[in-house]
Amino acid sequence: MAHIITVRGCTPKIGKRCFLAETAVLIGDVELGDDCSIWYGAVLRGDVNPIRLGNGVNVQDNAVLHTLYQKSTVILGDNVSIGHNATVHGASVGEGALIGMNATLLDYAQVGAGALVAAGALVAPRTIVNAGTLWMGVPAHEVRKLTPEEIANTVRHTAEGYKMYKEWFLGEK
């Protein structure tokens, strides 16, 4: 079972039909919606401020979610995908967005719905990533608008795939 740790009187709240990998760690003021999956080595550290996940969110292996003490929060909309080794520090991510592997979102960054932040990108503090756009680089910048097909076949497809994977693991218990 995942490591669920109470800190400062706050115990993580888990929605229905969620998969939590055995080595996932949820600490403090963390709330997961329904149908979320938190994968191996992921850390959601709500010890200093809240972390809120909508429904159908997947936080992939070794990702880290954290905040600034009494300042920033992490808010992920429904069907968000956080890629392997990504860091989300005090940022918000809109519905259906995909944060690529090893990407970093810093405090107060806002990623719009259906956006794609590419692998390895660094989104600077207070940056606004427009909905339905592709962002790449260090520091990250807008490359172009995504086509409806890209949003459906890449961004949304990732979230749907992880819903399927979590069912495989839930079915084994």
Side-chain angles (χ1 to χ4, degrees), residues 21 29 31 51 94 102-104 107 124 149 159 162:
D29 193 1
E31 292 184 12
I51 295 174
N102 291 307
T104 301
D107 293 290
E149 294 79 19
Y162 270 87

Side-chain angles (χ1 to χ4, degrees), residues 4-14 26-31:
I4 308 293
I5 300 170
T6 299
V7 173
R8 297 173 54 211
C10 294
T11 301
K13 296 180 176 112
I14 314 302
L26 284 71
I27 302 169
D29 193 1
V30 173
E31 292 184 12

Side-chain angles (χ1 to χ4, degrees), residues 37-79:
S37 58
I38 312 300
W39 294 88
Y40 297 91
V43 177
L44 282 65
R45 223 180 102 199
D47 54 343
V48 299
N49 239 13
I51 295 174
R52 302 289 182 261
L53 279 62
N55 298 316
V57 172
N58 65 87
V59 178
Q60 297 169 23
D61 308 74
N62 298 315
V64 175
L65 280 58
H66 195 234
T67 66
L68 282 175
Y69 179 59
Q70 296 182 339
K71 294 186 180 186
S72 63
T73 58
V74 170
I75 301 172
L76 306 181
D78 293 344
N79 302 309

